[in-house]
Amino acid sequence: FDLVSKELHIISSSHSLSPTPRFAASLTFVPASGTKKDAELYLFGGLNKDHVPHNDLWRFNLGSRSWDRISPIFSKSVELNEYRGIPERREGHSSCFWTGNQGNCRKLVVFGGMTKRNYGERTECTRLNDIVIYDIGKS
């Protein structure tokens, strides 16, 4: 949406590689900085048309209008427990961009949401209360 002209512009990808349709995902704007001359959007998680949650991470370059699937390594911080890996599949979570106190780091921070867990023959929706962090500066 252009705040000056008050017009909505649909942005389409210039390449065939793109994420599957989904809802209840997070999309985070990351401004250009240093070697990153173009601003980017980061898409994480969400539900597909069959209500199956995702844990994939996609980056959309606003300059080239192209998607890249990222194979991230997240770090997790909950009650000072640390791990490195891929977070649980989730939907309905929140995310934001964080630059640190001195603006010297570039991180995607994801909080909570819901996931589906299997317990034998039954599946339950489980609320998540974790924080996972992806270091954009290392991508």
Side-chain angles (χ1 to χ4, degrees):
F1 183 76
D2 186 317
L3 293 172
V4 175
S5 68
K6 298 188 179 170
E7 294 178 342
L8 180 65
H9 302 277
I10 305 282
I11 299 174
S12 60
S13 175
S14 60
H15 302 282
S16 60
L17 179 67
S18 63
T20 58
R22 62 191 68 202
F23 63 99
S26 63
L27 186 69
T28 306
F29 175 78
V30 175
S33 172
T35 59
K36 300 274 187 180
K37 63 181 180 181
D38 294 321
E40 299 169 324
L41 299 172
Y42 282 79
L43 173 71
F44 178 72
L47 293 172
N48 68 14
K49 63 181 176 68
D50 297 319
H51 297 268
V52 175
H54 290 280
N55 64 346
D56 54 350
L57 180 63
W58 291 81
R59 174 178 52 214
F60 185 77
N61 183 295
L62 288 165
S64 66
R65 295 186 179 198
S66 61
W67 285 102
D68 291 309
R69 184 169 181 174
I70 300 171
S71 298
I73 299 291
F74 282 81
S75 60
K76 178 178 178 177
S77 175
V78 164
E79 300 169 2
L80 303 177
N81 292 327
E82 295 286 335
Y83 87 98
R84 293 183 55 81
I86 298 173
E88 287 187 79
R89 298 170 178 268
R90 65 188 65 211
E91 50 103 357
H93 53 280
S94 300
S95 68
C96 67
F97 173 63
W98 177 51
T99 59
N101 294 338
Q102 305 298 319
N104 57 354
C105 64
R106 297 170 57 80
K107 299 188 186 281
L108 175 68
V109 180
V110 178
F111 171 73
M114 294 190 64
T115 193
K116 292 182 180 177
R117 292 188 180 150
N118 294 321
Y119 298 97
E121 295 183 13
R122 73 178 204 277
T123 300
E124 290 184 6
C125 288
T126 303
R127 294 178 197 270
L128 299 170
N129 189 29
D130 60 347
I131 297 170
V132 291
I133 301 168
Y134 174 63
D135 190 343
I136 294 169
K138 292 184 179 179
S139 66

